[in-house]
Amino acid sequence: MHKYLIVIVGPTGIGKTKTSIEIARHYNTEIISADSRQIFKELKIGTATPTEEELSAAKHHNIASQSIHDYYSAWEFEQEALKLTQQLFKKHNQLVLTGGSMMYIDAICKGIDELPTVDQELRDKLKRQYDTEGIESLKRILKQLDPDYYDQVDLKNSKRVIHAVEICLMTGKSYSSLRTNTIKKRPFNIIKVGLELEREEIYNRINLRVDNMIEMGLINEARQFYHNKELNSLNTVGYKELFAHFDGEYDQEKAIELIKRNTRRYAKKQLTWFKKDVDTKWFNPSEIENIISHIDSLMVNCNS
RNA sequence: GGUACCAUAGCUCAGUAGGUAGAGCAAUGGACUGAAAAUCCAUGUGUCCCUGGUUCGAUCCCAGGUGGUACCA
């Protein structure tokens, strides 16, 4: 019997939650979330986590399963989500994977290379070096440890440079030698569905959703985690702008405007990423019947 | 109705002593292998309100419209 992972992608605010629930209910199955922020149980309003009602309409996994204090990354996600598919495919022939976190989606569909998790101590040390000596000193180290990657990497992007150095130092090997550039085989078929609307429509929805979050108490939610603002989990649209407001950098109105703008930019970035995948078939989120018949037709093809 | 001022990018506005224009914000395109809602790179998108006039040439000067704002009736 064939197994199918139905992957639903699209920009933030387009209605992935609603559509994935409808699809999960149609196939009487469950949903794995690929959302790098809804996975934190403390963050509810600002991440547009599905409501209690939505969560009970279909079984969801990987929502509110981590704490903002936990270390979590695409690698952990790949491991966990794959294990989940293994379990759930025993009961179901279809599963729904949905979320806007581009790299998490790829981690499941294509896989990422096996690398060691970087020691916090080393990470802190390199961060200090970056803060005091700047990117140049790290570029020099990278050039020595991994000249191939040095030639490929965006040298202005400090996170990439630092991470490559971290991996070289952790493993004693060059980072580029650990990059296999292969797509991992999965024991299931993947069907990709994209949700899209006119850009203006997407932006209108985002602006309204942010106003709605403010009404629901986003400012209080952010204030609760103000003392944790240095955590990576809180380097998140909707929170970081309010933290800067609490710091006195600008007024509340400006913070709300920036949340809207940064959410719009995020949506645009998601579209750039997801559009590159030619296997994704795009739909208006209201065309639920068309989406289902598209999925059905692909499943028939795979079986024949 | 009268007088004054204004009309330039999506918005707020600058500018051109007459040679078709530029800032901020917004926006657009892209990169992406363990922080990815992160991080990084690139890009000015325009009937200069309309119609005439003067001029080799008008977004700019002149006249008349139209629209807006303020004040006076």
PDB file of all heavy atoms in Angstrom, chain A residues 149-178:
ATOM      1  N   TYR A 149      34.500  26.157   0.976  1.00  0.00           N
ATOM      2  CA  TYR A 149      33.271  26.809   1.435  1.00  0.00           C
ATOM      3  C   TYR A 149      33.460  28.321   1.483  1.00  0.00           C
ATOM      4  O   TYR A 149      32.529  29.079   1.195  1.00  0.00           O
ATOM      5  CB  TYR A 149      32.848  26.279   2.817  1.00  0.00           C
ATOM      6  CG  TYR A 149      31.454  26.710   3.199  1.00  0.00           C
ATOM      7  CD1 TYR A 149      30.348  26.248   2.492  1.00  0.00           C
ATOM      8  CD2 TYR A 149      31.237  27.610   4.233  1.00  0.00           C
ATOM      9  CE1 TYR A 149      29.068  26.670   2.808  1.00  0.00           C
ATOM     10  CE2 TYR A 149      29.960  28.033   4.569  1.00  0.00           C
ATOM     11  CZ  TYR A 149      28.879  27.557   3.846  1.00  0.00           C
ATOM     12  OH  TYR A 149      27.615  27.977   4.157  1.00  0.00           O
ATOM     13  N   TYR A 150      34.660  28.729   1.795  1.00  0.00           N
ATOM     14  CA  TYR A 150      34.967  30.163   1.819  1.00  0.00           C
ATOM     15  C   TYR A 150      34.639  30.791   0.466  1.00  0.00           C
ATOM     16  O   TYR A 150      34.123  31.909   0.384  1.00  0.00           O
ATOM     17  CB  TYR A 150      36.446  30.372   2.146  1.00  0.00           C
ATOM     18  CG  TYR A 150      36.866  31.813   2.223  1.00  0.00           C
ATOM     19  CD1 TYR A 150      36.758  32.535   3.408  1.00  0.00           C
ATOM     20  CD2 TYR A 150      37.384  32.461   1.104  1.00  0.00           C
ATOM     21  CE1 TYR A 150      37.131  33.861   3.482  1.00  0.00           C
ATOM     22  CE2 TYR A 150      37.761  33.790   1.160  1.00  0.00           C
ATOM     23  CZ  TYR A 150      37.632  34.491   2.352  1.00  0.00           C
ATOM     24  OH  TYR A 150      37.997  35.811   2.408  1.00  0.00           O
ATOM     25  N   ASP A 151      34.907  30.044  -0.605  1.00  0.00           N
ATOM     26  CA  ASP A 151      34.636  30.582  -1.942  1.00  0.00           C
ATOM     27  C   ASP A 151      33.146  30.607  -2.277  1.00  0.00           C
ATOM     28  O   ASP A 151      32.716  31.362  -3.135  1.00  0.00           O
ATOM     29  CB  ASP A 151      35.364  29.747  -3.009  1.00  0.00           C
ATOM     30  CG  ASP A 151      36.860  30.001  -2.975  1.00  0.00           C
ATOM     31  OD1 ASP A 151      37.259  31.080  -2.469  1.00  0.00           O
ATOM     32  OD2 ASP A 151      37.621  29.130  -3.428  1.00  0.00           O
ATOM     33  N   GLN A 152      32.375  29.745  -1.620  1.00  0.00           N
ATOM     34  CA  GLN A 152      30.947  29.656  -1.949  1.00  0.00           C
ATOM     35  C   GLN A 152      30.067  30.556  -1.092  1.00  0.00           C
ATOM     36  O   GLN A 152      29.048  31.050  -1.536  1.00  0.00           O
ATOM     37  CB  GLN A 152      30.427  28.233  -1.703  1.00  0.00           C
ATOM     38  CG  GLN A 152      30.995  27.160  -2.589  1.00  0.00           C
ATOM     39  CD  GLN A 152      30.644  25.783  -2.017  1.00  0.00           C
ATOM     40  OE1 GLN A 152      29.581  25.567  -1.451  1.00  0.00           O
ATOM     41  NE2 GLN A 152      31.560  24.850  -2.161  1.00  0.00           N
ATOM     42  N   VAL A 153      30.478  30.685   0.157  1.00  0.00           N
ATOM     43  CA  VAL A 153      29.569  31.289   1.130  1.00  0.00           C
ATOM     44  C   VAL A 153      29.429  32.797   0.902  1.00  0.00           C
ATOM     45  O   VAL A 153      30.316  33.444   0.351  1.00  0.00           O
ATOM     46  CB  VAL A 153      30.083  31.011   2.569  1.00  0.00           C
ATOM     47  CG1 VAL A 153      31.326  31.807   2.881  1.00  0.00           C
ATOM     48  CG2 VAL A 153      28.992  31.293   3.597  1.00  0.00           C
ATOM     49  N   ASP A 154      28.287  33.317   1.303  1.00  0.00           N
ATOM     50  CA  ASP A 154      28.066  34.761   1.326  1.00  0.00           C
ATOM     51  C   ASP A 154      28.860  35.307   2.519  1.00  0.00           C
ATOM     52  O   ASP A 154      28.451  35.179   3.662  1.00  0.00           O
ATOM     53  CB  ASP A 154      26.565  35.018   1.506  1.00  0.00           C
ATOM     54  CG  ASP A 154      26.250  36.496   1.655  1.00  0.00           C
ATOM     55  OD1 ASP A 154      27.198  37.307   1.635  1.00  0.00           O
ATOM     56  OD2 ASP A 154      25.072  36.827   1.789  1.00  0.00           O
ATOM     57  N   LEU A 155      29.988  35.902   2.231  1.00  0.00           N
ATOM     58  CA  LEU A 155      30.915  36.312   3.300  1.00  0.00           C
ATOM     59  C   LEU A 155      30.377  37.465   4.137  1.00  0.00           C
ATOM     60  O   LEU A 155      30.915  37.771   5.193  1.00  0.00           O
ATOM     61  CB  LEU A 155      32.271  36.682   2.704  1.00  0.00           C
ATOM     62  CG  LEU A 155      33.053  35.490   2.120  1.00  0.00           C
ATOM     63  CD1 LEU A 155      34.229  35.975   1.284  1.00  0.00           C
ATOM     64  CD2 LEU A 155      33.542  34.560   3.232  1.00  0.00           C
ATOM     65  N   LYS A 156      29.333  38.090   3.658  1.00  0.00           N
ATOM     66  CA  LYS A 156      28.735  39.173   4.454  1.00  0.00           C
ATOM     67  C   LYS A 156      27.720  38.633   5.459  1.00  0.00           C
ATOM     68  O   LYS A 156      27.237  39.370   6.306  1.00  0.00           O
ATOM     69  CB  LYS A 156      28.053  40.181   3.535  1.00  0.00           C
ATOM     70  CG  LYS A 156      29.041  41.002   2.751  1.00  0.00           C
ATOM     71  CD  LYS A 156      28.343  42.024   1.894  1.00  0.00           C
ATOM     72  CE  LYS A 156      29.378  42.859   1.152  1.00  0.00           C
ATOM     73  NZ  LYS A 156      28.809  43.530  -0.016  1.00  0.00           N
ATOM     74  N   ASN A 157      27.368  37.375   5.287  1.00  0.00           N
ATOM     75  CA  ASN A 157      26.364  36.788   6.168  1.00  0.00           C
ATOM     76  C   ASN A 157      27.073  36.114   7.338  1.00  0.00           C
ATOM     77  O   ASN A 157      27.492  34.965   7.258  1.00  0.00           O
ATOM     78  CB  ASN A 157      25.524  35.791   5.380  1.00  0.00           C
ATOM     79  CG  ASN A 157      24.285  35.377   6.134  1.00  0.00           C
ATOM     80  OD1 ASN A 157      24.301  35.319   7.364  1.00  0.00           O
ATOM     81  ND2 ASN A 157      23.224  35.087   5.419  1.00  0.00           N
ATOM     82  N   SER A 158      27.151  36.832   8.449  1.00  0.00           N
ATOM     83  CA  SER A 158      27.964  36.361   9.566  1.00  0.00           C
ATOM     84  C   SER A 158      27.483  35.024  10.108  1.00  0.00           C
ATOM     85  O   SER A 158      28.286  34.193  10.524  1.00  0.00           O
ATOM     86  CB  SER A 158      27.979  37.401  10.681  1.00  0.00           C
ATOM     87  OG  SER A 158      26.660  37.672  11.101  1.00  0.00           O
ATOM     88  N   LYS A 159      26.171  34.802  10.094  1.00  0.00           N
ATOM     89  CA  LYS A 159      25.672  33.534  10.648  1.00  0.00           C
ATOM     90  C   LYS A 159      26.202  32.338   9.871  1.00  0.00           C
ATOM     91  O   LYS A 159      26.521  31.310  10.442  1.00  0.00           O
ATOM     92  CB  LYS A 159      24.141  33.514  10.627  1.00  0.00           C
ATOM     93  CG  LYS A 159      23.560  34.436  11.662  1.00  0.00           C
ATOM     94  CD  LYS A 159      22.154  34.050  12.030  1.00  0.00           C
ATOM     95  CE  LYS A 159      21.675  34.971  13.134  1.00  0.00           C
ATOM     96  NZ  LYS A 159      20.372  34.616  13.643  1.00  0.00           N
ATOM     97  N   ARG A 160      26.267  32.490   8.557  1.00  0.00           N
ATOM     98  CA  ARG A 160      26.765  31.373   7.736  1.00  0.00           C
ATOM     99  C   ARG A 160      28.250  31.149   7.975  1.00  0.00           C
ATOM    100  O   ARG A 160      28.701  30.012   8.084  1.00  0.00           O
ATOM    101  CB  ARG A 160      26.527  31.689   6.255  1.00  0.00           C
ATOM    102  CG  ARG A 160      25.098  31.941   5.913  1.00  0.00           C
ATOM    103  CD  ARG A 160      24.477  30.755   5.193  1.00  0.00           C
ATOM    104  NE  ARG A 160      23.021  30.902   5.224  1.00  0.00           N
ATOM    105  CZ  ARG A 160      22.353  31.702   4.403  1.00  0.00           C
ATOM    106  NH1 ARG A 160      22.980  32.353   3.447  1.00  0.00           N
ATOM    107  NH2 ARG A 160      21.056  31.824   4.500  1.00  0.00           N
ATOM    108  N   VAL A 161      28.985  32.250   8.019  1.00  0.00           N
ATOM    109  CA  VAL A 161      30.428  32.142   8.220  1.00  0.00           C
ATOM    110  C   VAL A 161      30.714  31.506   9.578  1.00  0.00           C
ATOM    111  O   VAL A 161      31.499  30.555   9.684  1.00  0.00           O
ATOM    112  CB  VAL A 161      31.091  33.538   8.122  1.00  0.00           C
ATOM    113  CG1 VAL A 161      32.571  33.459   8.502  1.00  0.00           C
ATOM    114  CG2 VAL A 161      30.927  34.100   6.708  1.00  0.00           C
ATOM    115  N   ILE A 162      30.040  32.005  10.599  1.00  0.00           N
ATOM    116  CA  ILE A 162      30.269  31.493  11.947  1.00  0.00           C
ATOM    117  C   ILE A 162      29.888  30.015  12.029  1.00  0.00           C
ATOM    118  O   ILE A 162      30.619  29.200  12.590  1.00  0.00           O
ATOM    119  CB  ILE A 162      29.480  32.305  12.993  1.00  0.00           C
ATOM    120  CG1 ILE A 162      30.062  33.719  13.102  1.00  0.00           C
ATOM    121  CG2 ILE A 162      29.497  31.619  14.355  1.00  0.00           C
ATOM    122  CD1 ILE A 162      29.241  34.677  13.936  1.00  0.00           C
ATOM    123  N   HIS A 163      28.766  29.671  11.426  1.00  0.00           N
ATOM    124  CA  HIS A 163      28.342  28.281  11.531  1.00  0.00           C
ATOM    125  C   HIS A 163      29.327  27.337  10.858  1.00  0.00           C
ATOM    126  O   HIS A 163      29.621  26.253  11.370  1.00  0.00           O
ATOM    127  CB  HIS A 163      26.944  28.082  10.943  1.00  0.00           C
ATOM    128  CG  HIS A 163      26.435  26.702  11.182  1.00  0.00           C
ATOM    129  ND1 HIS A 163      26.111  25.835  10.171  1.00  0.00           N
ATOM    130  CD2 HIS A 163      26.250  26.011  12.329  1.00  0.00           C
ATOM    131  CE1 HIS A 163      25.740  24.673  10.697  1.00  0.00           C
ATOM    132  NE2 HIS A 163      25.804  24.764  11.999  1.00  0.00           N
ATOM    133  N   ALA A 164      29.844  27.740   9.722  1.00  0.00           N
ATOM    134  CA  ALA A 164      30.820  26.894   9.033  1.00  0.00           C
ATOM    135  C   ALA A 164      32.058  26.705   9.906  1.00  0.00           C
ATOM    136  O   ALA A 164      32.587  25.592  10.017  1.00  0.00           O
ATOM    137  CB  ALA A 164      31.193  27.523   7.691  1.00  0.00           C
ATOM    138  N   VAL A 165      32.495  27.779  10.538  1.00  0.00           N
ATOM    139  CA  VAL A 165      33.659  27.672  11.427  1.00  0.00           C
ATOM    140  C   VAL A 165      33.338  26.735  12.593  1.00  0.00           C
ATOM    141  O   VAL A 165      34.143  25.862  12.957  1.00  0.00           O
ATOM    142  CB  VAL A 165      34.080  29.069  11.946  1.00  0.00           C
ATOM    143  CG1 VAL A 165      35.155  28.938  13.024  1.00  0.00           C
ATOM    144  CG2 VAL A 165      34.588  29.931  10.789  1.00  0.00           C
ATOM    145  N   GLU A 166      32.156  26.882  13.146  1.00  0.00           N
ATOM    146  CA  GLU A 166      31.739  26.012  14.254  1.00  0.00           C
ATOM    147  C   GLU A 166      31.851  24.543  13.852  1.00  0.00           C
ATOM    148  O   GLU A 166      32.382  23.714  14.600  1.00  0.00           O
ATOM    149  CB  GLU A 166      30.275  26.288  14.636  1.00  0.00           C
ATOM    150  CG  GLU A 166      30.040  27.572  15.389  1.00  0.00           C
ATOM    151  CD  GLU A 166      28.548  27.891  15.547  1.00  0.00           C
ATOM    152  OE1 GLU A 166      27.701  27.270  14.866  1.00  0.00           O
ATOM    153  OE2 GLU A 166      28.229  28.778  16.343  1.00  0.00           O
ATOM    154  N   ILE A 167      31.317  24.224  12.689  1.00  0.00           N
ATOM    155  CA  ILE A 167      31.309  22.825  12.254  1.00  0.00           C
ATOM    156  C   ILE A 167      32.728  22.320  12.005  1.00  0.00           C
ATOM    157  O   ILE A 167      33.074  21.199  12.382  1.00  0.00           O
ATOM    158  CB  ILE A 167      30.431  22.666  10.996  1.00  0.00           C
ATOM    159  CG1 ILE A 167      28.972  23.001  11.309  1.00  0.00           C
ATOM    160  CG2 ILE A 167      30.534  21.254  10.442  1.00  0.00           C
ATOM    161  CD1 ILE A 167      28.353  22.172  12.417  1.00  0.00           C
ATOM    162  N   CYS A 168      33.551  23.138  11.400  1.00  0.00           N
ATOM    163  CA  CYS A 168      34.946  22.730  11.174  1.00  0.00           C
ATOM    164  C   CYS A 168      35.625  22.421  12.509  1.00  0.00           C
ATOM    165  O   CYS A 168      36.331  21.418  12.647  1.00  0.00           O
ATOM    166  CB  CYS A 168      35.718  23.829  10.452  1.00  0.00           C
ATOM    167  SG  CYS A 168      35.162  24.126   8.764  1.00  0.00           S
ATOM    168  N   LEU A 169      35.423  23.293  13.477  1.00  0.00           N
ATOM    169  CA  LEU A 169      36.082  23.108  14.771  1.00  0.00           C
ATOM    170  C   LEU A 169      35.483  21.935  15.538  1.00  0.00           C
ATOM    171  O   LEU A 169      36.202  21.203  16.233  1.00  0.00           O
ATOM    172  CB  LEU A 169      35.985  24.390  15.604  1.00  0.00           C
ATOM    173  CG  LEU A 169      36.777  25.578  15.042  1.00  0.00           C
ATOM    174  CD1 LEU A 169      36.538  26.835  15.865  1.00  0.00           C
ATOM    175  CD2 LEU A 169      38.276  25.266  14.970  1.00  0.00           C
ATOM    176  N   MET A 170      34.186  21.709  15.411  1.00  0.00           N
ATOM    177  CA  MET A 170      33.534  20.590  16.102  1.00  0.00           C
ATOM    178  C   MET A 170      34.015  19.252  15.562  1.00  0.00           C
ATOM    179  O   MET A 170      34.183  18.293  16.314  1.00  0.00           O
ATOM    180  CB  MET A 170      32.014  20.643  15.907  1.00  0.00           C
ATOM    181  CG  MET A 170      31.260  21.644  16.745  1.00  0.00           C
ATOM    182  SD  MET A 170      31.316  21.342  18.517  1.00  0.00           S
ATOM    183  CE  MET A 170      30.410  19.800  18.674  1.00  0.00           C
ATOM    184  N   THR A 171      34.173  19.167  14.239  1.00  0.00           N
ATOM    185  CA  THR A 171      34.402  17.865  13.608  1.00  0.00           C
ATOM    186  C   THR A 171      35.859  17.631  13.248  1.00  0.00           C
ATOM    187  O   THR A 171      36.258  16.497  12.998  1.00  0.00           O
ATOM    188  CB  THR A 171      33.602  17.761  12.294  1.00  0.00           C
ATOM    189  OG1 THR A 171      34.039  18.802  11.418  1.00  0.00           O
ATOM    190  CG2 THR A 171      32.115  17.910  12.554  1.00  0.00           C
ATOM    191  N   GLY A 172      36.625  18.691  13.163  1.00  0.00           N
ATOM    192  CA  GLY A 172      37.990  18.545  12.673  1.00  0.00           C
ATOM    193  C   GLY A 172      38.028  18.311  11.170  1.00  0.00           C
ATOM    194  O   GLY A 172      39.073  18.016  10.596  1.00  0.00           O
ATOM    195  N   LYS A 173      36.861  18.397  10.537  1.00  0.00           N
ATOM    196  CA  LYS A 173      36.807  18.256   9.077  1.00  0.00           C
ATOM    197  C   LYS A 173      36.297  19.561   8.480  1.00  0.00           C
ATOM    198  O   LYS A 173      35.785  20.418   9.201  1.00  0.00           O
ATOM    199  CB  LYS A 173      35.833  17.143   8.686  1.00  0.00           C
ATOM    200  CG  LYS A 173      36.230  15.774   9.172  1.00  0.00           C
ATOM    201  CD  LYS A 173      35.164  14.777   8.771  1.00  0.00           C
ATOM    202  CE  LYS A 173      35.426  13.411   9.400  1.00  0.00           C
ATOM    203  NZ  LYS A 173      34.253  12.535   9.312  1.00  0.00           N
ATOM    204  N   SER A 174      36.407  19.676   7.169  1.00  0.00           N
ATOM    205  CA  SER A 174      35.877  20.895   6.559  1.00  0.00           C
ATOM    206  C   SER A 174      34.368  20.763   6.439  1.00  0.00           C
ATOM    207  O   SER A 174      33.844  19.670   6.210  1.00  0.00           O
ATOM    208  CB  SER A 174      36.499  21.118   5.186  1.00  0.00           C
ATOM    209  OG  SER A 174      35.961  20.212   4.262  1.00  0.00           O
ATOM    210  N   TYR A 175      33.714  21.887   6.605  1.00  0.00           N
ATOM    211  CA  TYR A 175      32.249  21.899   6.507  1.00  0.00           C
ATOM    212  C   TYR A 175      31.808  21.423   5.124  1.00  0.00           C
ATOM    213  O   TYR A 175      30.882  20.623   4.999  1.00  0.00           O
ATOM    214  CB  TYR A 175      31.761  23.330   6.784  1.00  0.00           C
ATOM    215  CG  TYR A 175      30.270  23.538   6.705  1.00  0.00           C
ATOM    216  CD1 TYR A 175      29.392  22.658   7.320  1.00  0.00           C
ATOM    217  CD2 TYR A 175      29.749  24.644   6.038  1.00  0.00           C
ATOM    218  CE1 TYR A 175      28.018  22.866   7.261  1.00  0.00           C
ATOM    219  CE2 TYR A 175      28.375  24.860   5.974  1.00  0.00           C
ATOM    220  CZ  TYR A 175      27.517  23.968   6.585  1.00  0.00           C
ATOM    221  OH  TYR A 175      26.175  24.180   6.511  1.00  0.00           O
ATOM    222  N   SER A 176      32.492  21.874   4.079  1.00  0.00           N
ATOM    223  CA  SER A 176      32.050  21.510   2.727  1.00  0.00           C
ATOM    224  C   SER A 176      32.160  20.012   2.483  1.00  0.00           C
ATOM    225  O   SER A 176      31.376  19.446   1.724  1.00  0.00           O
ATOM    226  CB  SER A 176      32.822  22.304   1.671  1.00  0.00           C
ATOM    227  OG  SER A 176      34.193  22.248   1.902  1.00  0.00           O
ATOM    228  N   SER A 177      33.088  19.352   3.148  1.00  0.00           N
ATOM    229  CA  SER A 177      33.204  17.904   2.944  1.00  0.00           C
ATOM    230  C   SER A 177      32.025  17.168   3.582  1.00  0.00           C
ATOM    231  O   SER A 177      31.756  16.011   3.261  1.00  0.00           O
ATOM    232  CB  SER A 177      34.513  17.389   3.532  1.00  0.00           C
ATOM    233  OG  SER A 177      34.460  17.437   4.949  1.00  0.00           O
ATOM    234  N   LEU A 178      31.323  17.831   4.489  1.00  0.00           N
ATOM    235  CA  LEU A 178      30.187  17.191   5.167  1.00  0.00           C
ATOM    236  C   LEU A 178      28.862  17.498   4.465  1.00  0.00           C
ATOM    237  O   LEU A 178      27.838  16.926   4.808  1.00  0.00           O
ATOM    238  CB  LEU A 178      30.112  17.667   6.621  1.00  0.00           C
ATOM    239  CG  LEU A 178      31.345  17.314   7.462  1.00  0.00           C
ATOM    240  CD1 LEU A 178      31.363  18.090   8.763  1.00  0.00           C
ATOM    241  CD2 LEU A 178      31.383  15.808   7.725  1.00  0.00           C
TER     242      LEU A 178
END
